[in-house]
Amino acid sequence: HVQLVESGGGSVQAGGSLRLSCAASGYSYRSYVMGWFRQAPGKEREGVAVVDSDGRTKYADSVKGRFTISRDNAKNTLYLQLNSMKSEDTAMYFCSSLTDGSWFTGGQGTQVTVS
């Protein structure tokens, strides 16, 4: 039974920082590409960052240089460090696992609000 549980969201002022975490369980986490997505009210879900099993990363242009995705395979945990935050980063953030060619999102997400 695969579980992904996000945490770490909150309210911050513009320019501030947050660190999101995603605890994974129920599968061989270390073998999978993992990603962070976000969805703002009235907008479609968008990809923020991905990291493969070897630690290689890709970012959306809107967050390059500000956000950092990382993973700790020993702890089965995915992270997203958010720095220099902007109001347009306000969204619900979800972590996902690329499974059989599709993104699996099992958590409730964590809300990030930037004012």
Side-chain angles (χ1 to χ4, degrees), residues 71-102:
R71 65 193 300 165
D72 186 335
N73 289 338
K75 295 182 178 180
N76 280 10
T77 303
L78 179 72
Y79 301 101
L80 185 68
Q81 179 69 41
L82 295 73
N83 296 330
S84 303
M85 297 177 69
K86 306 175 181 179
S87 58
E88 51 262 46
D89 296 323
T90 295
M92 186 72 78
Y93 284 71
F94 302 88
C95 72
S96 296
S97 172
L98 187 60
T99 307
D100 294 329
S102 298

Side-chain angles (χ1 to χ4, degrees), residues 11-19 66-67 81-86 89 112 114-115:
S11 296
V12 297
Q13 292 187 336
S17 299
L18 281 175
R19 189 194 198 201
R66 300 188 299 119
F67 291 7
Q81 179 69 41
L82 295 73
N83 296 330
S84 303
M85 297 177 69
K86 306 175 181 179
D89 296 323
V112 171
V114 185
S115 59

